[in-house]
Amino acid sequence: MASEKNEQKMEKEVSFADSESSSEKEAPRDFIISRAHSFKRDEHPAHPFVGFTMWSFMLWIWYQVWGVWCIPISSYFVYLVLLIPPWITGKSEQQIRKQEEVSAFIYILATACTVPVLCYWCLFRAPTAITMAFLCYVGWFLLLDSKAPKSGKRKFDVIRRRRQWYNFARYFPISLSRTAELDPTKNYIFGYHPHGIISTGALCNFGAEATGFSTLFPGIDLRLLTLAVNFYVPFLREYFLALGVNDVSRESCITNLRRGPGASIMIVVGGAAEALEARPNEYDLTISTKRKGFVKIALQEGASMVPVFSFGEVDVFNQWANPEGSKLRRFQKWSTSIFGISPPIVVGRALKSGVLKRWFGWNWGIMPLRMPVHSVVGAPIDCPKIAPDADEKTLSEAIDKYHALYLEELKKVYEDHKESFKDLRKEYVEQQEPDLQEILKLGKEGSFKVKGL
């Protein structure tokens, strides 16, 4: 019943999204729901041969490293993701689509877990020729290709439009809307809030074409920015670059904004510190005086700032309690200061067809909760271009002024749309298991606060 209700809810979203003219007339500030691109299956063609090849390769790599010990767990994952035609299993088309959505997340998770195993195999188990080629590749990207994550180049739309991102968006579901049109001749700095645990909305809405970003914002060539440490991981860096993801260094921000008209960047402003505060239904934003660098860049480059608020981003995972002063919190802060990454201990859900649920009756697992994530793009805040020789006082006053305007628009986006999302969230909470409902209701009724001000 829960899956049927989810399907009906998504169909309602599709029908509402297609009536663009009525939404423009009735909704305030030109609020336009994305024209259901996140649910248009035909625009994200499947490549079964590519998927089969990737799965086969990953299983082979795991077998090469772990031997027969990997067979049980590999068989289990194959069982979870294997899509058998409905005329064999007796499953409905709707059940098959649900399985596709789950498979998309497992595929992404399995790929991330396979990367370190592949690196180990290349170094210690592969033939000498492959080991030498791998070492040459690592030396190449460390010494000769280190500027690639700052250049905005090597983006491939075919990767951004893969069916797995469409299914990934449907899993929650994830959606995208705007409150104003953007001039494609200008440059923009998008600020994404809140960080959540893994910023699912940022990756799916802005790092891929699962929800029709290019249709909502024609002419805007966006680069999602992340930690530079991600581009020191072999193979994974190439996939990030293909998605159009770059590092979040100052050099990268400036280089990407100067690529030409419409060239824009997105920064997850709260960063690792905000991830440690992620709790269901609580929006604790970390935008302190130390996090105004994006405003300074906007003023120096004459770029407009665009706040983005993702309702439900904090609902897809819970995390173990980590109060200030606890050992876990101290370790997380240490990890953040050294590596820039905060390792939260996440709590998700178990699959109904999985071992944890069937054998032990647990509802806990590592799969994210199927809760809606809706990203609302606010109105742009145009910034003047400050002269390079401007004195420190003038620059500081301008930063404070436009930072305040940015926060004002961000809060407006939240206030304008919180009630409509609250109703949608309530419906999805009621479809969860009872113990998961308790977690999702722990939040302070959608509390919104900004730390550091």
Side-chain angles (χ1 to χ4, degrees):
M1 287 298 294
S3 62
E4 291 178 3
K5 289 182 180 178
N6 278 343
E7 195 72 20
Q8 291 172 0
K9 172 57 65 178
M10 285 187 285
E11 294 302 327
K12 289 179 182 178
E13 290 173 5
V14 172
S15 61
F16 175 72
D18 285 336
S19 58
E20 184 177 16
S21 59
S22 62
S23 65
E24 285 188 43
K25 293 177 182 178
E26 298 173 5
R29 302 174 69 231
D30 189 32
F31 180 81
I32 304 174
I33 295 292
S34 170
R35 293 185 60 81
H37 275 62
S38 54
F39 307 122
K40 287 187 177 178
R41 186 186 179 92
D42 295 339
E43 294 190 4
H44 301 269
H47 302 283
F49 177 75
V50 175
F52 176 79
T53 303
M54 288 298 297
W55 275 112
S56 300
F57 177 72
M58 286 191 286
L59 292 174
W60 183 79
I61 288 295
W62 279 82
Y63 179 78
Q64 291 295 313
V65 174
W66 298 107
V68 295
W69 295 102
C70 80
I71 293 179
I73 190 170
S74 298
S75 301
Y76 174 62
F77 273 101
V78 170
Y79 158 72
L80 291 177
V81 303
L82 188 61
L83 300 175
I84 303 175
W87 56 270
I88 296 178
T89 61
K91 292 183 177 180
S92 66
E93 183 66 23
Q94 177 180 313
Q95 290 174 315
I96 292 295
R97 290 176 68 179
K98 290 294 181 185
Q99 189 175 357
E100 287 180 343
E101 295 158 18
V102 171
S103 299
F105 184 84
I106 295 177
Y107 177 84
I108 294 171
L109 179 63
T111 302
C113 293
T114 301
V115 168
V117 178
L118 176 58
C119 293
Y120 176 85
W121 177 79
C122 288
L123 284 172
F124 303 108
R125 298 291 183 87
T128 304
I130 293 180
T131 300
M132 295 303 297
F134 175 73
L135 292 175
C136 290
Y137 161 65
V138 172
W140 168 75
F141 77 68
L142 288 176
L143 301 176
L144 302 178
D145 197 45
S146 59
K147 296 293 185 181
K150 310 175 192 298
S151 66
K153 299 178 181 178
R154 304 221 303 251
K155 184 184 82 167
F156 295 97
D157 281 341
V158 67
I159 301 296
R160 292 166 57 87
R161 294 181 182 274
R162 287 201 63 197
R163 175 72 68 83
Q164 72 181 50
W165 294 115
Y166 159 86
N167 288 327
F168 185 82
R170 280 188 62 95
Y171 173 90
F172 295 93
I174 296 173
S175 54
L176 174 67
S177 63
R178 72 187 185 194
T179 62
E181 296 183 0
L182 299 183
D183 184 351
T185 64
K186 295 183 178 181
N187 305 110
Y188 299 93
I189 298 179
F190 292 75
Y192 186 87
H193 310 270
H195 185 286
I197 298 294
I198 56 174
S199 300
T200 52
L203 179 61
C204 199
N205 284 325
F206 305 99
E209 276 292 330
T211 55
F213 175 86
S214 61
T215 303
L216 271 181
F217 303 102
I220 304 300
D221 188 13
L222 183 66
R223 296 294 183 273
L224 175 63
L225 305 186
T226 186
L227 294 173
V229 67
N230 291 313
F231 296 94
Y232 289 99
V233 181
F235 307 117
L236 186 62
R237 74 186 297 272
E238 311 306 331
Y239 193 75
F240 276 148
L241 290 173
L243 287 173
V245 179
N246 277 207
D247 77 40
V248 75
S249 64
R250 176 181 172 79
E251 179 185 352
S252 175
C253 292
I254 293 175
T255 302
N256 273 290
L257 288 172
R258 293 178 178 177
R259 284 182 292 113
S264 304
I265 59 176
M266 166 167 277
I267 301 173
V268 184
V269 179
E274 193 171 281
L276 299 179
E277 305 292 342
R279 296 285 189 281
N281 212 24
E282 294 184 16
Y283 300 106
D284 292 346
L285 307 187
T286 304
I287 315 177
S288 65
T289 53
K290 295 181 179 180
R291 295 183 183 271
K292 294 182 181 179
F294 70 101
V295 184
K296 183 177 182 180
I297 292 175
L299 289 166
Q300 291 176 335
E301 297 299 315
S304 300
M305 299 184 296
V306 184
V308 179
F309 196 93
S310 265
F311 294 90
E313 181 65 64
V314 295
D315 288 334
V316 298
F317 280 112
N318 192 19
Q319 61 176 312
W320 280 17
N322 57 346
E324 288 288 350
S326 64
K327 291 183 179 179
L328 176 58
R329 188 58 166 250
R330 289 200 297 269
F331 169 75
Q332 290 171 329
K333 285 187 173 181
W334 172 82
S335 176
T336 302
S337 64
I338 300 298
F339 305 107
I341 300 174
S342 59
I345 302 178
V346 300
V347 179
R349 74 178 185 96
L351 291 175
K352 292 181 179 179
S353 59
V355 169
L356 295 179
K357 180 69 173 178
R358 288 193 169 185
W359 290 10
F360 302 101
W362 296 352
N363 290 318
W364 319 105
I366 61 172
M367 292 293 290
L369 302 180
R370 298 190 85 142
M371 292 294 293
V373 178
H374 184 61
S375 300
V376 182
V377 180
I381 300 151
D382 295 328
C383 299
K385 187 169 183 177
I386 301 295
D389 57 350
D391 59 87
E392 193 65 29
K393 182 180 178 181
T394 301
L395 181 59
S396 178
E397 289 176 350
I399 290 174
D400 291 340
K401 173 185 175 181
Y402 284 93
H403 185 261
L405 291 174
Y406 177 87
L407 279 180
E408 182 180 335
E409 175 62 22
L410 177 64
K411 291 177 181 177
K412 182 171 179 56
V413 170
Y414 174 79
E415 294 295 335
D416 285 352
H417 306 291
K418 67 178 182 180
E419 291 302 324
S420 59
F421 182 79
K422 182 179 179 181
D423 295 336
L424 177 64
R425 183 184 189 275
K426 183 179 179 181
E427 292 185 29
Y428 275 83
V429 169
E430 291 173 350
Q431 296 166 18
Q432 306 295 327
E433 298 288 345
D435 44 359
L436 297 179
Q437 287 186 25
E438 291 302 315
I439 290 178
L440 291 166
K441 291 178 180 178
L442 287 178
K444 305 167 186 176
E445 292 300 319
S447 61
F448 177 91
K449 59 182 179 180
V450 178
K451 293 188 174 183
L453 295 179

